[in-house]
Amino acid sequence: MSRMGNKPIALDPKVKVEIKDGMATVTGPKGTLKQALPGDVLVEISEDGKLLHVKRESDARQTKMNHGLVRSLLNNMVTGVTTGFTIELELVGVGYRAAVKGQELTLNLGYSNPRIYNAPESVKVTCKDQTHIVLESIDKQAVGQAAASIRSNRVPDAYHGKGVRYAGEQLSLKEGKKV
């Protein structure tokens, strides 16, 4: 029994959900998102239009997995079109800096040449200052993938902590050589 899959999703009055031909379309004040749904999971909108219920047809293992997955995806879509998702990154290190021009992020991370990251169109990239990057999107998967791709250019090292970190990330640094 999926506990997450059985929880109803509360819908904001500004959000419209349409389920048609195995495709879920969620429209809200920030935009529209679409998601294909597996055939073994049913999505029902309550009569008053305030709740979304996800149900499954059988108790097969794959159907149970899809049940929780579809509920989480739909919940993320509803949250995305109402409030959106934001991830902040910090650059820690001497001379590390970032600059944005359009959708192109230029990262100076201690390499001989700057690293250039072209953000997807669904993700808005801004820099609060040279060492803080803010990623915003209505698509949780897209903003998370963009943050992971940027972070992969210089993952924080275990001894000094220099690199690209998520804002507020706590690192446990290793102890250096003992003399």
Side-chain angles (χ1 to χ4, degrees):
M1 176 189 231
S2 173
R3 292 187 185 148
M4 283 307 295
N6 290 329
K7 286 179 73 176
I9 301 168
L11 295 177
D12 195 275
K14 300 174 233 168
V15 176
K16 291 182 183 175
V17 178
E18 186 179 327
I19 310 296
K20 188 184 248 184
D21 299 329
M23 188 71 106
T25 306
V26 180
T27 306
K30 291 200 172 230
T32 302
L33 291 171
K34 293 184 178 185
Q35 177 67 44
L37 300 175
D40 53 1
V41 176
L42 305 170
V43 179
E44 298 173 353
I45 302 168
S46 65
E47 293 174 13
D48 57 358
K50 293 183 179 178
L51 292 175
L52 200 62
H53 296 280
V54 180
K55 299 180 180 180
R56 62 178 185 252
E57 292 179 349
S58 69
D59 284 338
R61 181 178 165 93
Q62 187 63 44
T63 305
K64 286 182 178 181
M65 288 190 278
N66 287 342
H67 185 212
L69 172 70
V70 168
R71 194 263 178 206
S72 294
L73 290 173
L74 289 173
N75 189 44
N76 289 340
M77 290 167 67
V78 170
T79 304
V81 297
T82 53
T83 59
F85 295 100
T86 303
I87 295 180
E88 293 186 28
L89 300 171
E90 300 172 341
L91 304 181
V92 178
V94 177
Y96 289 13
R97 60 185 180 274
V100 176
K101 186 182 270 187
Q103 284 292 95
E104 188 174 273
L105 178 66
T106 304
L107 300 164
N108 292 320
L109 299 172
Y111 297 116
S112 59
N113 294 318
R115 299 286 173 113
I116 296 172
Y117 176 73
N118 293 314
E121 296 206 7
S122 62
V123 178
K124 180 183 172 198
V125 182
T126 56
C127 285
K128 289 198 281 188
D129 56 34
Q130 290 185 342
T131 59
H132 289 83
I133 303 165
V134 179
L135 304 170
E136 298 176 80
S137 179
I138 61 172
D139 187 0
K140 187 173 185 177
Q141 190 274 333
V143 75
Q145 182 61 51
S149 297
I150 292 169
R151 188 173 192 263
S152 69
N153 287 303
R154 177 75 88 172
V155 178
D157 73 322
Y159 292 97
H160 302 100
K162 298 187 330 180
V164 181
R165 297 183 189 181
Y166 295 109
E169 181 180 7
Q170 296 292 319
L171 297 176
S172 57
L173 298 179
K174 290 184 179 179
E175 195 174 323
K177 289 183 181 177
K178 291 189 177 181
V179 178

